[in-house]
Amino acid sequence: MNLAIGPHLRVSPRDGDAPLATELEPAAMNLEISDLFYFYSGGSTLTGIQRVQQELCLDMLRSEKDSPTCVIYDKGQQRWRVAPHDWLESLIGAARSFRPGSGRLWADVYQQFATDFPGFPIKQFEPGEWLVNVGASWALPGYFTQVRHLRRLGVGYAVFLHDCIPARHPAYFDQSLAIEYSYWLANVRENADLVICNSEATRNDYLELVQPERKQDVRVCRLAASWASKTISAEADAAATELLAELGTLDRGFVLTVGTIEPRKNHLTLVHVWDRLRTTHPDNCPKLLCVGKVGWKSDAVMAQATALGLLNSSIHFVSGLSDDLLQALYAKCLFTAYVSYYEGWGLPISESLAAGKVCVAGSNSSLKEAGAGYAIHVDERSETNIHDAIARLLDNPAEREEAEERIRRGYHPGTWADIATEIRGVVAAAAAQTRPPVELPELQIGTYYRFGRPAPLKRFDLPQWAGMFRNGHTWHRTENWGSWTSKESAELAFRISAKRERPVVFLGLMAPPGGNAGATIAVNGKEVVSLNRFTGRRIVKVPLDMEGLAAREESDEYINVRLRIAASRLQDMSLVESGKDKRMLGMGYTFLIAFDRSSILERLEFLERVVTNDI
């Protein structure tokens, strides 16, 4: 049985799911839009994930009741700041109305808003509140360290998951992003009380790849949304007409494809299809208008279009268009194409259908969900299949018009307000469930935990990443080799089985650049190690007095341990890197491993790794 959340949206409960209830009291919800705020710093033209954040934020801000607190993560303070609603609406309005070439630089417009940010109040979370992240957070330093702290205070954490593509298909991304994303997914698995997927395909990917412990905490909120306004302004219509006149498409007509120019979006195949179309349809071959920013490894697309003589004749690439101008292009195109190799949803398909236009779309991942039975699905790997579908639409205008009429009669997308309401309902249902208290992560005996991230994770249930033990607000963004701290003192926090006999922890440290450094290490407030000054790397043995620690614990099963490491100095990197690196660096952390009295073979293997410089 499906439960209606909005007028056209459905969430399908599965076996073991907690039932949704529209009468639940709304949770104290904090909508996090950090990713949107920082994305604006590079431009006002949004990609899919940021567009979702922008529209959801606007609709939730304008809600007459249950309007959430909007928060943004301060990367320097590693805390969330409360963003005023009027400030956010003004920022989003400025981004949506900005016109390149208007005489103003977007960087200047954004800076006017960003200057206000450090003055916003720090959010003081209370038990029972929820932090709901509808964007991306893998580039924010110390982010999940702070999320873990909030959850131990009783704050719920929900993630809107847009896709798992960098983990499932890392070849479509730069390796550094694939690494970041894989660890982000592992952190989502560990920390999210609720994961809201944008499609059944994304949910299936998450369950298969990440294997969360509680499948019932992974829900679906389909992203079938229409434009914020179906009315095209006279200004947008005129701007679209002017653009099409410049490109020479007013008389010939055009096909629209929207998406970042990158290998995954499959523009190269469309280039080859258009090369064939100009031969098979010399009299009615439309132009192909590709709207989207130039992304990673896009050179091959441009080179191929140039070599075939298609660039700026039959195929045009444009970027930096406002939402209303893009909406006008949807209205004016013959039809659209979206033959991506893999997606989490496929927002351009929804936008095309909402505009009443047929979309020739791929058949993989979530694209059929987005097509909702109204798109024409093809094998995105077959140039012939794509060519034939497009040719049929060109050769049969009456059939195309009939398909458009069918879309107008039958396709009823939800609005962004519907999706916002649905998210509120899913969060409220999750908030009504009893959640067990969040403990410190367990330090497994004999497991080698890296602070660094040299390669993408292969398993998400056993990440073996020491970052989960970091505590406090003193950690810089993780690098391949490990983690620097930003202050003299840093803390590692974990729990260890009380049954372990005489456990010891070995900790890999690195002195701050630029000279000698000393350090002291305290266990639960008691100093146990004092290091003389050293440079470079150092392996430190930290004994744990289990009897003394157990005397302070209420539980007989685990003992909570907090290691406080204090360095004798900080290094101002601007003095070393001639101003290029402005960070203050304390001690560096490379690995963490624990043994007990019985771990003889594990100790020998560890010693072997140390001797062979494999640590």
Side-chain angles (χ1 to χ4, degrees):
M1 177 179 176
N2 289 337
L3 176 67
I5 301 296
H8 306 296
L9 295 173
R10 299 290 186 270
V11 171
S12 302
R14 302 169 184 80
D15 292 340
D17 280 357
L20 294 179
T22 56
E23 300 302 321
L24 288 172
E25 287 295 323
M29 181 169 154
N30 298 275
L31 183 70
E32 184 182 345
I33 55 163
S34 308
D35 178 46
L36 178 64
F37 173 65
Y38 291 117
F39 188 91
Y40 278 145
S41 66
S44 63
T45 304
L46 305 180
T47 58
I49 292 178
Q50 289 75 36
R51 182 184 296 281
V52 171
Q53 293 174 80
Q54 175 179 275
E55 300 304 330
L56 288 176
C57 179
L58 275 179
D59 276 296
M60 289 190 181
L61 288 177
R62 294 168 180 171
S63 174
E64 295 182 359
K65 64 176 183 176
D66 307 336
S67 182
T69 300
C70 291
V71 295
I72 299 172
Y73 188 76
D74 186 322
K75 293 188 282 189
Q77 294 292 320
Q78 297 190 6
R79 292 177 173 87
W80 286 265
R81 294 187 181 276
V82 178
H85 286 189
D86 57 349
W87 177 86
L88 266 177
E89 286 203 58
S90 297
L91 172 60
I92 294 173
R96 297 178 78 167
S97 62
F98 182 78
R99 299 286 186 275
S102 61
R104 299 186 70 191
L105 296 177
W106 169 250
D108 295 334
V109 176
Y110 175 78
Q111 190 57 39
Q112 291 179 339
F113 289 93
T115 301
D116 297 330
F117 177 65
F120 295 158
I122 297 293
K123 168 63 182 176
Q124 303 297 327
F125 289 90
E126 299 291 339
E129 291 190 69
W130 277 71
L131 177 64
V132 182
N133 189 326
V134 293
S137 52
W138 47 81
L140 301 176
Y143 180 83
F144 279 106
T145 299
Q146 307 315 318
V147 168
R148 281 188 287 273
H149 174 68
L150 291 183
R151 293 185 68 237
R152 289 196 290 270
L153 293 178
V155 176
Y157 180 62
V159 172
F160 191 92
L161 185 63
H162 296 267
D163 62 69
C164 297
I165 307 174
R168 180 170 282 286
H169 297 290
Y172 288 135
F173 302 89
D174 180 80
Q175 188 186 32
S176 62
L177 176 59
I179 292 172
E180 288 266 19
Y181 194 87
S182 70
Y183 279 88
W184 180 79
L185 272 182
N187 273 303
V188 168
R189 183 188 191 278
E190 177 199 353
N191 293 287
D193 299 290
L194 172 66
V195 175
I196 307 171
C197 300
N198 64 349
S199 66
E200 290 288 348
T202 296
R203 184 180 191 270
N204 292 338
D205 280 351
Y206 182 74
L207 294 179
E208 178 185 337
L209 290 170
V210 182
Q211 299 181 17
E213 293 184 6
R214 290 173 52 85
K215 293 183 179 180
Q216 64 267 35
D217 294 332
V218 184
R219 311 304 293 267
V220 174
C221 171
R222 290 181 181 84
L223 209 54
S226 64
W227 289 92
S229 172
K230 291 188 177 181
T231 303
I232 299 172
S233 67
E235 180 185 7
D237 185 74
T241 301
E242 181 180 351
L243 173 63
L244 296 175
E246 291 176 1
L247 301 179
T249 64
L250 284 178
D251 297 329
R252 294 176 57 183
F254 69 99
V255 175
L256 180 66
T257 184
V258 178
T260 302
I261 315 301
E262 58 184 2
R264 179 170 58 89
K265 300 296 185 180
N266 204 14
H267 290 85
L268 191 58
T269 297
L270 286 179
V271 169
H272 293 157
V273 167
W274 249 256
D275 181 42
R276 185 175 173 184
L277 279 172
R278 64 179 175 176
T279 300
T280 60
H281 291 69
D283 297 326
N284 64 336
C285 179
K287 290 200 173 188
L288 177 64
L289 183 57
C290 305
V291 176
K293 69 176 185 178
V294 176
W296 180 71
K297 288 194 174 181
S298 59
D299 294 349
V301 175
M302 300 300 183
Q304 190 73 186
T306 301
L308 293 173
L310 295 168
L311 188 64
N312 297 328
S313 58
S314 296
I315 300 178
H316 297 273
F317 295 88
V318 296
S319 60
L321 304 186
S322 63
D323 283 359
D324 53 357
L325 177 52
L326 179 57
Q327 186 178 0
L329 292 177
Y330 272 113
K332 292 177 179 294
C333 71
L334 296 173
F335 52 90
T336 69
Y338 194 70
V339 292
S340 171
Y341 284 122
Y342 213 88
E343 291 296 328
W345 176 254
L347 201 55
I349 300 177
S350 299
E351 293 174 344
S352 176
L353 297 178
K357 294 304 174 76
V358 181
C359 181
V360 177
S363 300
N364 64 78
S365 56
S366 60
L367 299 185
K368 286 191 174 181
E369 286 182 72
Y374 295 92
I376 298 173
H377 293 282
V378 296
D379 181 354
E380 64 281 350
R381 299 162 298 178
S382 170
E383 293 178 13
T384 297
N385 203 208
I386 298 171
H387 169 274
D388 291 350
I390 291 175
R392 182 172 177 177
L393 290 174
L394 295 175
D395 294 339
N396 300 279
E399 184 176 329
R400 188 173 74 240
E401 291 174 4
E402 182 180 339
E404 291 176 355
E405 179 61 27
R406 179 171 169 266
I407 292 170
R408 283 191 288 271
R409 288 197 312 267
Y411 182 73
H412 301 294
T415 65
W416 289 105
D418 295 332
I419 295 176
T421 299
E422 185 174 353
I423 290 175
R424 284 195 193 91
V426 174
V427 173
Q433 305 301 309
T434 301
R435 289 176 289 133
V438 178
E439 307 287 351
L440 292 176
E442 182 179 357
L443 181 66
Q444 299 281 352
I445 294 295
T447 298
Y448 180 79
Y449 296 95
R450 293 178 181 270
F451 282 92
R453 301 185 296 199
L457 280 175
K458 300 300 182 183
R459 290 189 62 180
F460 299 95
D461 55 336
L462 295 171
Q464 298 182 4
W465 183 50
M468 72 179 76
F469 305 125
R470 301 187 308 183
N471 206 29
H473 302 85
T474 64
W475 298 92
H476 280 300
R477 186 175 176 181
T478 302
E479 301 176 43
N480 286 351
W481 62 268
S483 299
W484 290 112
T485 57
S486 59
K487 297 181 180 178
E488 291 93 338
S489 183
E491 184 176 272
L492 302 173
F494 51 84
R495 59 179 179 149
I496 192 168
S497 173
K499 298 178 181 179
R500 296 298 179 182
E501 186 178 358
R502 297 197 325 215
V504 294
V505 171
F506 287 88
L507 181 61
L509 297 178
M510 187 149 58
N516 293 325
T520 58
I521 301 177
V523 178
N524 289 8
K526 180 181 178 181
E527 184 177 318
V528 296
V529 176
S530 179
L531 299 176
N532 294 325
R533 293 184 174 274
F534 68 97
T535 59
R537 297 181 181 235
R538 179 76 178 264
I539 299 176
V540 185
K541 178 181 177 181
V542 183
L544 302 181
D545 177 11
M546 296 299 280
E547 291 185 4
L549 295 173
R552 308 181 190 181
E553 294 291 326
E554 297 180 3
S555 171
D556 295 330
E557 187 175 356
Y558 289 99
I559 293 174
N560 290 331
V561 178
R562 297 178 184 272
L563 301 184
R564 172 68 61 171
I565 302 95
S568 62
R569 70 177 185 86
L570 285 172
Q571 176 62 53
D572 184 348
M573 291 304 293
S574 65
L575 303 178
V576 178
E577 297 288 339
S578 302
K580 296 179 181 179
D581 187 346
K582 301 183 183 301
R583 295 177 299 172
M584 298 294 291
L585 298 185
M587 200 68 71
Y589 293 74
T590 57
F591 73 88
L592 181 71
I593 190 170
F595 303 109
D596 64 8
R597 187 179 183 183
S598 64
S599 307
I600 298 174
L601 291 177
E602 290 87 349
R603 286 178 187 244
L604 287 174
E605 291 176 359
F606 174 67
L607 179 61
E608 184 178 83
R609 295 185 71 175
V610 172
V611 171
T612 57
N613 293 317
D614 190 32
I615 294 295

